[in-house]
Amino acid sequence: MEFEPVIGMEAHAELATKTKVFCGCSTAFGAAPNTQVCPVCLGLPGALPVLNKTAFEYVIRTAIALNCTITEKTVFDRKNYYYPDLPKNYQISQNYACIGYNGWIEINVNGEKKQVGMDNVHLEEDAGKNLHPETGGAESLVDLNRAGIALMEIVSRPDMHSADDALAYMETLKNLLQYLEVSDCKMQEGRLRFEVNISMRRKGEQKLGARAEIKNLNSMRTALKCIEYEIKRQTDILSNGGKLNQETRLWDEASFCTRAMRSKEQAQDYRYFPDPDLVEVHIMPEWQEKIRRQIPELKDAKLARFIADYGLPEYDADILTSSKPLATYFEQCQKFHNNPKSISNWIMTELLRELKCREMEPDDCPVTPRHLACMIKMIDEKTISGKIGKQVFSEMLTTGKMPDVIVMESGMSQILDEKEISAIVEKIISENQDTVESIRAGRDKAMAFLVGQIMRATRGKANPQLVNQILKDKISIK
Amino acid sequence: MSLKRISPDDVRHVALLSRLRLAEEEIPPYTDVLNSILEYFAKLNELDTSSVSPTSHSIEMRNVFREDIPQPSLPVDKAIANAPEVEDNYFRVPKIIQEM
Amino acid sequence: MDIHTLTLAEAGKQLKQKKITSRQLTQAVLQRLKSVEPQIQAFLSIAEKTAFTQADEADRRIAEGGDISPLTGIPIAIKDNICTADAATTCASRILENFHPPYDATVIAKLRRAGVVFIGKTNMDEFAMGSSTENSGYKITRNPWDRERIPGGSSGGSAAAVAADAAIAALGSDTGGSVRAPASYCGVVGLKPTYGRVSRYGLVAYGSSLDQIGPLTKDVKDSAIMLNALAGHDPQDSTSANVPVPDYTSACGKDIKGLRIGIPKEYFAEGIDPEVEQLVKNAIRQMESLGALPIEISLPHTEYAIPCYYICAMAEASSNLARYGGAHYGYRAKNAGNILEMYSKTRAEGFGTEVKRRIMLGTYVLSAGYYDAWYLKAIKARTLIKRDFELAWEKTDIIAAPVVPAPAFKIGEKSADPLTMYLSDIYTISLNLAGMCGISIPCGFSKKGLPVGLQLIANIFKEETLFTAAYAYEQSAGFFNRKPPL
Ligand SMILES: [Zn+2]
């Protein structure tokens, strides 16, 4: 019997607002514990929420981009549950009238285009962070800096049927949110998080099996592993005639598997009801239209512009616009130094390789656009060679120093002085008369050996074009 | 509206949802008093509300916002001043076991 | 003359004319407070030291001249569910014992700027849940007119303090009658402004869609002076109305000729004490003699107001009070081995019986499978109750009614059965459900010498009409000269 997975996803994205969703506290990442809190986000008695307009508009913007129907009258509801990272012991969320419903997004799975439906898009507040002492201590510590940060939840329909579908969905969604400039989507900082629902059904049938909901997925790689694991687990059980339970499971990073939460944890009753502290938000058509016009340039438009404005090949433009932060990185480089193709080459090779192996976003890279542009400028001005550039690049990556500083400190700058090069060339010729003779006899290939010797003597700093030119002159081949 | 009396088990369940520890001997009196109150509340059953829209706010208001402009937060010592237990400016709570 | 007996308006005038100083006034009020407090138990905390600092500051401001407010230098008491920065705010609950909010409620900030002298925080039913102040976690406040009796609730401490001249005025909060009912029982003036008229920021929530801060004062004019200072839009409260604030004092003194007074027949049906009925009807007759036009009206859904109100209030309360779990502030039970134990022991030990009852019922009416039958039904009934009033305003300018069915009952008389206690709120809760304003003013005394109040109700943001009618009646009736036997 063949089974097919049915996968739905809930994405939580922290919005890129300066302040929290219901108070004026800063959302800056990495502050000391409990330094970005106020009576409102601490849930102190008597404090009241006031909605951040920008956060609300970001969700409308997303809902529009996800082709949702926008709700005319939205409300906020309270979701009641007890947890120490939730200071009021209820979360302000939306349940009865979300901002957007019934949308869709197109994904590309290994060249095949598919649509994933959106159930709803809504706005809520994030919880704080609990620290569980690794040492197995008896207590937990709570930091409420994150409590109250605007969180957008995007709930997909169960329209995905493989781990590949799910991965494409996650990547496409992340990409879109970044292009919309509503979230920086940094998964390693927890600003984009996914939960997965998986069930299995017999191929060709509609009826779904019991669903497992999996939480605690903090990267796409984890999500992928988890989906693959869960598909296999459920298939194995079903193939052996076993039964599955509807349950919530946690991904256990240490043992690389999912495990069921205890049943008591699943007996949830959130008792949603309209939050009396917040009023209705009516999304009038004019307001919607205004927000639609504010949608920033998306991928396709940017790609076309990169080709037209910078004369880049489509291949390059496609890679550079594969994510908004990368495209921004490119354009910032271009602002510092005008050489689109060279910048593109460096980004597509060195930068992307390093970002990938470090799982880093472009804007977190120690090699900033200013670093890279400055270095390419040095190459274009022949201060350093391209080969030295690679050394400088890796030096920038580890030290964060500017390229001119690195070149100066380590004496890497290119030798462009013809006299200096001539002297070295003459020295090498005199030491390698046999080779010179063989070249004169027509063995052109031996030239490379001599160039290599000269470059070694200058520790790679001699300008290669000059070396070639001078060497040819000296051994007087035409 | 259900006029079914609530049982001692319902009271236990509601007490758990409410995070109120009740001693076993408190269950019967709570069951009785909650039932007598709910019985009275069931008077609302006399009303036909099928075509009535709900009112969750006393005055109709809409679209109240604040601008996304940072305001000063509390100094950390004030933020944690009322905390029963703190450690390194964190709130300290008993172990969060994976059970509710 | 004992200056602690002055009304706010008189005291303000004498301060401005430099006949008295705020220090003298504060001294007199605090002295009175200390002498009557053992009998009435109205206060949970007294802020003597800071009161004198504030009084001296007020005197300095007055001496300098310039813009002083009618409240500069006036000693005022605050219900203990309104946050006062760095001073205990307990809501009369053990769960907030020693809680010192790091911020001022908006109303407190406003009064501070006006130069008010804060003399202390008053007793109340725990988290404002009650109608007698017997549900305080700390003490039972007594009615200054008869110490065997309750002062009403939940703002019982504030009402008793004003009645006993232990404060020139006080702040209370009214979710279902908690300002008006104790005002009636204690013979003072209590105002429940329109929902949204006064900011709720810093008022510890009970039923957020119903709660409203209101003043308790010695007479109607003082109430208007207080509302002038309290009212106005607050960007920190999303439900605060952005509606201009008129000068309410100028509404006092206008005549009421031709003012239509609606008399809801459902408010004079069975259950009302004959003496109360008589006194309220006399008051209406008195207003008629001043030129007002009584009209009988009907508020047909009145009998559903109590279940509707209690379901709404309890549902909201169950969520509002979830935050008291011992994690970040307030009381925490000892020896909790895990987080669930911490929550449920803390709350079991920290809350009183009535609060627990309301939390459980509120949780129940919102829980899976019961939401539609109870909560949704109640908020639909709320629409019907609101509609009753909307229809009434087509016929009348103001509604006259009793405040409570009977004069103050004896301490302990109703505490065995919560339902009988709930029933005493029948005349006050409807207008909270509909968001309207109402005032309670003394309209006479029972044969036992207990005060009885007249309630006047007006449509949203029509506080001026309330003050005009209440002031006209008060001036012609003159009950405000009678003092409790303390
Ligand atoms: Zn905050």
Side-chain angles (χ1 to χ4, degrees):
Chain A
M1 212 164 334
E2 259 207 275
F3 292 98
E4 173 189 48
V6 179
I7 304 168
M9 289 208 151
E10 287 173 22
H12 285 96
E14 275 185 6
L15 296 177
T17 51
K18 294 189 204 72
T19 65
K20 296 185 178 183
V21 60
F22 296 118
C23 66
C25 287
S26 162
T27 55
F29 183 78
N34 296 309
T35 53
Q36 291 173 354
V37 292
C38 71
V40 178
C41 57
L42 278 172
L44 291 188
L48 295 170
V50 184
L51 178 58
N52 181 332
K53 189 176 188 186
T54 307
F56 195 86
E57 290 188 331
Y58 280 179
V59 181
I60 300 177
R61 186 190 289 181
T62 308
I64 291 172
L66 289 171
N67 308 296
C68 288
T69 308
I70 307 295
T71 306
E72 243 171 73
K73 286 184 196 176
T74 66
V75 291
F76 286 91
D77 304 300
R78 293 186 183 174
K79 178 179 182 179
N80 296 283
Y81 66 96
Y82 285 79
Y83 217 66
D85 60 8
L86 191 67
K88 302 183 295 294
N89 285 326
Y90 63 78
Q91 179 194 31
I92 303 176
S93 181
Q94 298 187 298
N95 182 60
Y96 296 111
C98 296
I99 294 173
Y101 286 103
N102 299 327
W104 54 266
I105 189 172
E106 189 177 80
I107 61 171
N108 185 322
V109 189
N110 309 322
E112 188 193 343
K113 283 183 178 170
K114 295 182 180 177
Q115 254 191 23
V116 175
M118 295 293 157
D119 186 84
N120 76 76
V121 181
H122 66 262
L123 177 58
E124 58 189 27
E125 55 181 343
D126 207 348
K129 269 185 180 156
N130 298 322
L131 278 81
H132 310 285
E134 299 290 329
T135 50
E139 268 136 356
S140 298
L141 302 177
V142 185
D143 172 15
L144 295 178
N145 282 348
R146 201 179 68 178
I149 289 184
L151 197 62
M152 174 167 62
E153 181 168 346
I154 301 170
V155 183
S156 89
R157 294 248 159 77
D159 288 349
M160 291 162 270
H161 302 288
S162 69
D164 282 353
D165 284 3
L167 182 65
Y169 172 77
M170 289 188 286
E171 280 174 345
T172 311
L173 188 64
K174 176 181 171 186
N175 209 280
L176 178 68
L177 298 183
Q178 288 182 327
Y179 263 104
L180 290 170
E181 294 174 9
V182 297
S183 172
D184 67 22
C185 292
K186 284 185 183 158
M187 293 191 78
Q188 64 283 14
E189 289 174 14
R191 293 226 270 275
L192 176 65
R193 318 192 283 265
F194 288 99
E195 285 174 26
V196 186
N197 302 311
I198 305 182
S199 56
M200 305 296 286
R201 70 176 172 206
R202 289 212 174 95
K203 271 223 161 119
E205 283 184 17
Q206 284 302 309
K207 199 172 152 277
L208 294 178
R211 196 178 75 170
E213 200 179 306
I214 303 141
K215 301 187 170 190
N216 206 22
L217 305 171
N218 48 24
S219 75
M220 283 195 203
R221 208 164 50 180
T222 312
L224 198 62
K225 288 272 174 289
C226 157
I227 292 167
E228 282 166 351
Y229 173 88
E230 194 58 25
I231 291 172
K232 183 167 183 314
R233 186 186 73 87
Q234 294 193 17
T235 311
D236 286 353
I237 291 175
L238 293 173
S239 310
N240 293 323
K243 253 198 87 179
L244 290 164
N245 297 319
Q246 179 126 343
E247 60 190 359
T248 302
R249 300 177 70 84
L250 285 180
W251 174 252
D252 188 338
E253 189 67 46
S255 51
F256 243 68
C257 66
T258 65
R259 53 180 182 79
M261 290 169 85
R262 289 185 224 176
S263 61
K264 266 194 175 176
E265 286 175 290
Q266 302 181 39
Q268 292 285 17
D269 183 348
Y270 292 126
R271 289 159 283 134
Y272 283 103
F273 76 105
D275 190 333
D277 291 331
L278 290 159
V279 302
E280 280 183 357
V281 184
H282 292 207
I283 309 172
M284 310 314 275
E286 314 85 71
W287 189 20
Q288 248 188 79
E289 207 32 57
K290 195 175 150 212
I291 293 167
R292 189 187 301 276
R293 283 197 303 270
Q294 286 167 351
I295 291 179
E297 181 184 48
L298 298 184
K299 169 163 171 141
D300 290 350
K302 203 177 279 285
L303 185 128
R305 185 167 61 80
F306 275 21
I307 296 170
D309 287 9
Y310 301 122
L312 290 172
E314 188 176 345
Y315 176 80
D316 289 40
D318 190 46
I319 290 178
L320 292 178
T321 56
S322 63
S323 90
K324 165 92 179 193
L326 193 65
T328 307
Y329 190 99
F330 167 79
E331 290 207 284
Q332 278 170 351
C333 288
Q334 181 58 28
K335 250 184 231 156
F336 289 116
H337 178 59
N338 183 8
N339 186 347
K341 181 56 189 157
S342 178
I343 293 169
S344 165
N345 290 343
W346 278 90
I347 289 179
M348 292 195 301
T349 53
E350 303 299 308
L351 184 78
L352 279 183
R353 188 185 63 231
E354 291 302 331
L355 291 180
K356 198 169 176 194
C357 85
R358 286 159 195 247
E359 290 189 43
M360 196 184 258
E361 293 286 338
D363 47 336
D364 289 331
C365 184
V367 180
T368 66
R370 211 157 81 91
H371 283 94
L372 185 61
C374 175
M375 191 198 80
I376 294 171
K377 189 166 176 235
M378 290 172 82
I379 295 172
D380 289 351
E381 287 168 353
K382 300 194 164 44
T383 312
I384 55 170
S385 65
K387 201 170 163 199
I388 293 285
K390 288 189 185 177
Q391 282 178 46
V392 173
F393 187 89
S394 68
E395 186 79 14
M396 292 193 293
L397 205 56
T398 48
T399 64
K401 286 182 183 168
M402 284 301 287
D404 46 352
V405 174
I406 293 170
V407 167
M408 203 175 67
E409 282 177 358
S410 56
M412 282 175 177
S413 53
Q414 203 165 187
I415 302 168
L416 288 165
D417 182 2
E418 291 188 28
K419 272 188 197 154
E420 199 180 334
I421 294 173
S422 291
I424 297 162
V425 170
E426 275 164 22
K427 186 167 167 278
I428 296 293
I429 288 175
S430 66
E431 286 168 5
N432 295 281
Q433 281 301 323
D434 294 354
T435 316
V436 174
E437 287 311 319
S438 71
I439 293 169
R440 285 185 178 135
R443 266 196 72 215
D444 286 1
K445 279 185 186 166
M447 271 293 278
F449 172 75
L450 288 185
V451 171
Q453 293 295 307
I454 293 162
M455 292 311 282
R456 189 190 292 166
T458 60
R459 299 213 317 271
K461 291 187 291 182
N463 179 292
Q465 285 84 30
L466 279 177
V467 168
N468 264 301
Q469 188 59 50
I470 293 170
L471 185 61
K472 280 178 186 168
D473 288 350
K474 297 273 176 198
I475 52 180
S476 45
I477 49 172
K478 61 162 178 126
Chain B
M1 189 180 302
S2 134
L3 265 171
K4 197 184 72 180
R5 288 180 62 84
I6 58 170
S7 67
D9 269 347
D10 293 335
V11 173
R12 281 187 199 98
H13 177 67
V14 167
L16 174 69
L17 281 179
S18 313
R19 297 296 184 270
L20 288 167
R21 168 177 285 204
L22 294 188
E24 216 22 59
E25 64 269 19
E26 290 179 276
I27 304 284
Y30 269 114
T31 310
D32 288 346
V33 74
L34 298 192
N35 266 314
S36 73
I37 295 169
L38 286 171
E39 242 162 65
Y40 176 72
F41 288 179
K43 189 175 175 55
L44 290 183
N45 265 339
E46 297 167 7
L47 290 171
D48 176 9
T49 52
S50 49
S51 58
V52 180
S53 57
T55 298
S56 51
H57 293 67
S58 34
I59 308 278
E60 273 174 49
M61 275 189 265
R62 66 169 84 149
N63 295 32
V64 175
F65 300 109
R66 38 171 282 273
E67 297 301 321
D68 186 25
I69 299 166
Q71 304 295 327
S73 294
L74 285 172
V76 64
D77 53 326
K78 281 216 165 197
I80 60 172
N82 284 291
E85 285 184 46
V86 292
E87 186 177 325
D88 301 335
N89 290 345
Y90 288 95
F91 296 98
R92 194 168 67 194
V93 297
K95 196 178 195 158
I96 303 166
I97 51 163
Q98 298 284 7
E99 188 170 25
M100 313 201 34
Chain C
M1 188 198 170
D2 298 322
I3 55 176
H4 61 267
T5 63
L6 293 176
T7 63
L8 199 166
E10 287 163 359
K13 203 158 91 190
Q14 296 199 19
L15 283 167
K16 207 166 187 176
Q17 293 169 344
K18 304 197 172 77
K19 285 187 180 156
I20 55 169
T21 65
S22 175
R23 180 168 262 275
Q24 287 165 343
L25 183 62
T26 303
Q27 184 113 46
V29 169
L30 282 171
Q31 212 155 28
R32 171 70 175 175
L33 191 163
K34 283 183 197 160
S35 80
V36 298
E37 182 61 8
Q39 304 167 66
I40 59 169
Q41 303 280 314
F43 284 82
L44 289 171
S45 54
I46 299 163
E48 190 164 353
K49 214 174 132 200
T50 49
F52 281 118
T53 313
Q54 289 157 1
D56 291 343
E57 171 63 20
D59 283 331
R60 199 186 51 75
R61 267 171 79 170
I62 294 166
E64 278 174 5
D67 65 327
I68 65 154
S69 124
L71 292 172
T72 310
I74 304 287
I76 281 177
I78 306 294
K79 188 177 182 179
D80 208 26
N81 60 350
I82 299 172
C83 288
T84 44
D86 306 319
T89 300
T90 69
C91 299
S93 180
R94 291 287 170 188
I95 216 158
L96 283 178
E97 196 166 4
N98 301 321
F99 175 71
H100 291 66
Y103 76 106
D104 268 336
T106 297
V107 291
I108 298 299
K110 283 186 165 206
L111 295 182
R112 243 187 244 288
R113 280 197 296 277
V116 158
V117 175
F118 297 100
I119 53 169
K121 306 291 289 282
T122 57
N123 197 21
M124 54 186 283
D125 287 297
E126 184 179 6
F127 285 105
M129 297 185 190
S131 313
S132 66
T133 311
E134 291 167 292
N135 295 336
S136 166
Y138 296 93
K139 52 168 77 165
I140 289 178
T141 298
R142 289 156 189 278
N143 191 315
W145 296 88
D146 178 350
R147 272 155 273 146
E148 298 298 303
R149 292 175 189 271
I150 55 101
S154 64
S155 312
S158 286
V162 173
D165 290 316
I168 300 293
L171 289 189
S173 69
D174 191 317
T175 306
S178 283
V179 164
R180 288 159 291 151
S184 173
Y185 290 127
C186 293
V188 297
V189 173
L191 173 75
K192 186 262 163 193
T194 304
Y195 186 85
R197 179 73 293 185
V198 175
S199 167
R200 291 187 297 118
Y201 189 77
L203 167 65
V204 180
Y206 156 30
S208 314
S209 77
L210 305 154
D211 297 338
Q212 191 65 192
I213 291 169
L216 290 118
T217 54
K218 296 180 185 182
D219 67 17
V220 174
K221 185 125 183 234
D222 285 3
S223 188
I225 296 171
M226 286 293 285
L227 188 61
N228 275 353
L230 300 171
H233 177 242
D234 178 9
Q236 288 186 285
D237 173 2
S238 308
T239 63
S240 145
N242 205 344
V243 175
V245 181
D247 172 14
Y248 292 109
T249 56
S250 62
C252 301
K254 291 186 177 155
D255 78 57
I256 57 167
K257 274 198 193 72
L259 186 80
R260 295 171 301 171
I261 303 183
I263 302 156
K265 60 177 186 209
E266 293 82 2
Y267 283 48
F268 295 88
E270 59 169 321
I272 189 168
D273 176 280
E275 267 190 296
V276 170
E277 180 172 8
Q278 202 47 56
L279 288 166
V280 170
K281 285 189 168 161
N282 289 348
I284 294 167
R285 218 160 293 132
Q286 176 92 15
M287 293 174 80
E288 192 179 1
S289 75
L290 298 171
L293 307 171
I295 320 160
E296 189 183 85
I297 59 161
S298 173
L299 299 168
H301 294 94
T302 300
E303 58 176 318
Y304 304 103
I306 287 177
C308 172
Y309 165 83
Y310 274 96
I311 291 171
C312 292
M314 287 170 174
E316 292 179 22
S318 71
S319 172
N320 283 331
L321 272 65
R323 67 190 67 194
Y324 310 107
H328 313 108
Y329 50 81
Y331 174 75
R332 178 187 292 182
K334 308 275 171 295
N335 309 319
N338 61 52
I339 202 82
L340 173 63
E341 231 175 82
M342 179 191 80
Y343 288 137
S344 38
K345 282 174 82 169
T346 296
R347 293 163 63 78
E349 292 166 19
F351 289 136
T353 308
E354 180 60 23
V355 171
K356 290 182 197 171
R357 247 186 322 247
R358 294 194 193 191
I359 289 174
M360 283 199 280
L361 281 168
T363 302
Y364 179 73
V365 299
L366 290 174
S367 63
Y370 300 101
Y371 181 92
D372 285 5
W374 294 99
Y375 180 71
L376 188 61
K377 185 87 186 176
I379 58 176
K380 284 180 167 184
R382 188 172 181 177
T383 306
L384 298 174
I385 290 163
K386 209 175 161 192
R387 206 177 286 161
D388 279 357
F389 281 95
E390 281 158 8
L391 291 173
W393 299 128
E394 291 172 7
K395 296 195 195 111
T396 186
D397 303 307
I398 204 159
I399 293 170
V403 185
V404 283
F409 49 88
K410 288 210 163 140
I411 289 167
E413 192 181 321
K414 295 192 181 181
S415 29
D417 179 10
L419 204 50
T420 38
M421 188 81 85
Y422 299 172
L423 297 180
S424 67
D425 298 340
I426 178 71
Y427 307 131
T428 49
I429 52 183
S430 296
L431 70 96
N432 295 80
L433 290 167
M436 291 164 317
C437 54
I439 195 167
S440 168
I441 47 173
C443 71
F445 290 84
S446 72
K447 291 195 190 77
K448 288 189 180 128
L450 298 169
V452 171
L454 162 72
Q455 179 174 219
L456 297 173
I457 302 164
N459 202 352
I460 55 168
F461 304 111
K462 296 279 189 198
E463 280 85 353
E464 286 170 285
T465 318
L466 273 191
F467 285 128
T468 298
Y471 186 79
Y473 168 72
E474 178 194 67
Q475 292 302 306
S476 71
F479 290 108
F480 52 93
N481 288 325
R482 207 155 147 182
K483 292 289 182 185
L486 281 166

